[in-house]
mmCIF file of all heavy atoms in Angstrom:
data_model
loop_
_atom_site.group_PDB
_atom_site.id
_atom_site.type_symbol
_atom_site.label_atom_id
_atom_site.label_comp_id
_atom_site.label_asym_id
_atom_site.label_seq_id
_atom_site.Cartn_x
_atom_site.Cartn_y
_atom_site.Cartn_z
ATOM 1 N N GLN A 4 2.330 1.990 -3.410
ATOM 2 C CA GLN A 4 1.342 2.577 -4.308
ATOM 3 C C GLN A 4 1.127 4.056 -3.999
ATOM 4 O O GLN A 4 0.946 4.857 -4.911
ATOM 5 C CB GLN A 4 0.013 1.829 -4.226
ATOM 6 C CG GLN A 4 0.006 0.533 -5.010
ATOM 7 C CD GLN A 4 0.294 0.742 -6.487
ATOM 8 O OE1 GLN A 4 1.438 0.714 -6.925
ATOM 9 N NE2 GLN A 4 -0.731 0.979 -7.276
ATOM 10 N N GLU A 5 1.161 4.438 -2.733
ATOM 11 C CA GLU A 5 1.017 5.853 -2.375
ATOM 12 C C GLU A 5 2.168 6.669 -2.943
ATOM 13 O O GLU A 5 1.973 7.777 -3.429
ATOM 14 C CB GLU A 5 0.931 6.016 -0.860
ATOM 15 C CG GLU A 5 -0.404 5.585 -0.289
ATOM 16 C CD GLU A 5 -0.481 5.789 1.211
ATOM 17 O OE1 GLU A 5 0.081 6.794 1.711
ATOM 18 O OE2 GLU A 5 -1.088 4.945 1.878
ATOM 19 N N TRP A 6 3.374 6.135 -2.874
ATOM 20 C CA TRP A 6 4.528 6.834 -3.431
ATOM 21 C C TRP A 6 4.479 6.833 -4.956
ATOM 22 O O TRP A 6 4.787 7.819 -5.602
ATOM 23 C CB TRP A 6 5.836 6.174 -3.001
ATOM 24 C CG TRP A 6 6.158 6.299 -1.551
ATOM 25 C CD1 TRP A 6 5.784 7.300 -0.695
ATOM 26 C CD2 TRP A 6 6.938 5.392 -0.779
ATOM 27 N NE1 TRP A 6 6.281 7.069 0.553
ATOM 28 C CE2 TRP A 6 7.002 5.898 0.536
ATOM 29 C CE3 TRP A 6 7.590 4.201 -1.059
ATOM 30 C CZ2 TRP A 6 7.688 5.269 1.553
ATOM 31 C CZ3 TRP A 6 8.277 3.570 -0.048
ATOM 32 C CH2 TRP A 6 8.328 4.099 1.247
ATOM 33 N N ARG A 7 4.110 5.693 -5.519
ATOM 34 C CA ARG A 7 4.169 5.504 -6.962
ATOM 35 C C ARG A 7 3.048 6.217 -7.703
ATOM 36 O O ARG A 7 3.263 6.764 -8.776
ATOM 37 C CB ARG A 7 4.114 4.004 -7.253
ATOM 38 C CG ARG A 7 4.352 3.634 -8.685
ATOM 39 C CD ARG A 7 4.579 2.127 -8.809
ATOM 40 N NE ARG A 7 4.915 1.813 -10.173
ATOM 41 C CZ ARG A 7 4.053 1.328 -11.050
ATOM 42 N NH1 ARG A 7 2.812 1.102 -10.703
ATOM 43 N NH2 ARG A 7 4.436 1.065 -12.274
ATOM 44 N N ARG A 8 1.849 6.203 -7.173
ATOM 45 C CA ARG A 8 0.697 6.736 -7.892
ATOM 46 C C ARG A 8 -0.054 7.830 -7.149
ATOM 47 O O ARG A 8 -0.938 8.448 -7.701
ATOM 48 C CB ARG A 8 -0.285 5.610 -8.233
ATOM 49 C CG ARG A 8 0.234 4.696 -9.307
ATOM 50 C CD ARG A 8 0.306 5.440 -10.632
ATOM 51 N NE ARG A 8 0.815 4.596 -11.685
ATOM 52 C CZ ARG A 8 1.939 4.831 -12.329
ATOM 53 N NH1 ARG A 8 2.692 5.852 -12.014
ATOM 54 N NH2 ARG A 8 2.337 4.042 -13.289
ATOM 55 N N GLY A 9 0.291 8.065 -5.900
ATOM 56 C CA GLY A 9 -0.391 9.108 -5.153
ATOM 57 C C GLY A 9 -0.035 10.485 -5.683
ATOM 58 O O GLY A 9 0.843 10.641 -6.523
ATOM 59 N N TYR A 10 -0.705 11.489 -5.180
ATOM 60 C CA TYR A 10 -0.482 12.837 -5.679
ATOM 61 C C TYR A 10 0.494 13.629 -4.818
ATOM 62 O O TYR A 10 1.395 14.265 -5.342
ATOM 63 C CB TYR A 10 -1.810 13.592 -5.796
ATOM 64 C CG TYR A 10 -1.641 14.963 -6.380
ATOM 65 C CD1 TYR A 10 -1.230 15.121 -7.691
ATOM 66 C CD2 TYR A 10 -1.848 16.095 -5.617
ATOM 67 C CE1 TYR A 10 -1.032 16.384 -8.236
ATOM 68 C CE2 TYR A 10 -1.659 17.365 -6.152
ATOM 69 C CZ TYR A 10 -1.248 17.501 -7.460
ATOM 70 O OH TYR A 10 -1.056 18.738 -7.996
ATOM 71 N N ALA A 11 0.326 13.581 -3.520
ATOM 72 C CA ALA A 11 1.097 14.485 -2.655
ATOM 73 C C ALA A 11 1.997 13.770 -1.650
ATOM 74 O O ALA A 11 2.467 14.390 -0.713
ATOM 75 C CB ALA A 11 0.139 15.422 -1.922
ATOM 76 N N THR A 12 2.280 12.497 -1.860
ATOM 77 C CA THR A 12 3.108 11.744 -0.920
ATOM 78 C C THR A 12 4.426 11.371 -1.584
ATOM 79 O O THR A 12 4.488 10.430 -2.377
ATOM 80 C CB THR A 12 2.382 10.453 -0.466
ATOM 81 O OG1 THR A 12 1.109 10.797 0.059
ATOM 82 C CG2 THR A 12 3.194 9.717 0.579
ATOM 83 N N PRO A 13 5.497 12.103 -1.278
ATOM 84 C CA PRO A 13 6.787 11.729 -1.870
ATOM 85 C C PRO A 13 7.390 10.535 -1.132
ATOM 86 O O PRO A 13 7.107 10.318 0.049
ATOM 87 C CB PRO A 13 7.651 12.975 -1.656
ATOM 88 C CG PRO A 13 7.082 13.602 -0.433
ATOM 89 C CD PRO A 13 5.599 13.297 -0.446
ATOM 90 N N PRO A 14 8.218 9.765 -1.808
ATOM 91 C CA PRO A 14 8.944 8.695 -1.114
ATOM 92 C C PRO A 14 10.010 9.320 -0.219
ATOM 93 O O PRO A 14 10.284 10.520 -0.321
ATOM 94 C CB PRO A 14 9.575 7.910 -2.261
ATOM 95 C CG PRO A 14 9.732 8.907 -3.353
ATOM 96 C CD PRO A 14 8.571 9.858 -3.217
ATOM 97 N N PRO A 15 10.637 8.532 0.634
ATOM 98 C CA PRO A 15 11.740 9.075 1.429
ATOM 99 C C PRO A 15 12.834 9.598 0.492
ATOM 100 O O PRO A 15 13.069 9.034 -0.578
ATOM 101 C CB PRO A 15 12.249 7.880 2.232
ATOM 102 C CG PRO A 15 11.170 6.867 2.170
ATOM 103 C CD PRO A 15 10.404 7.116 0.908
ATOM 104 N N PRO A 16 13.503 10.674 0.864
ATOM 105 C CA PRO A 16 14.545 11.215 -0.010
ATOM 106 C C PRO A 16 15.717 10.247 -0.158
ATOM 107 O O PRO A 16 16.049 9.506 0.772
ATOM 108 C CB PRO A 16 14.982 12.506 0.683
ATOM 109 C CG PRO A 16 14.426 12.440 2.058
ATOM 110 C CD PRO A 16 13.315 11.443 2.069
#
Side-chain angles (χ1 to χ4, degrees):
Q4 281 301 90
E5 286 181 36
W6 292 332
R7 188 168 185 260
R8 289 292 179 243
Y10 183 66
T12 305

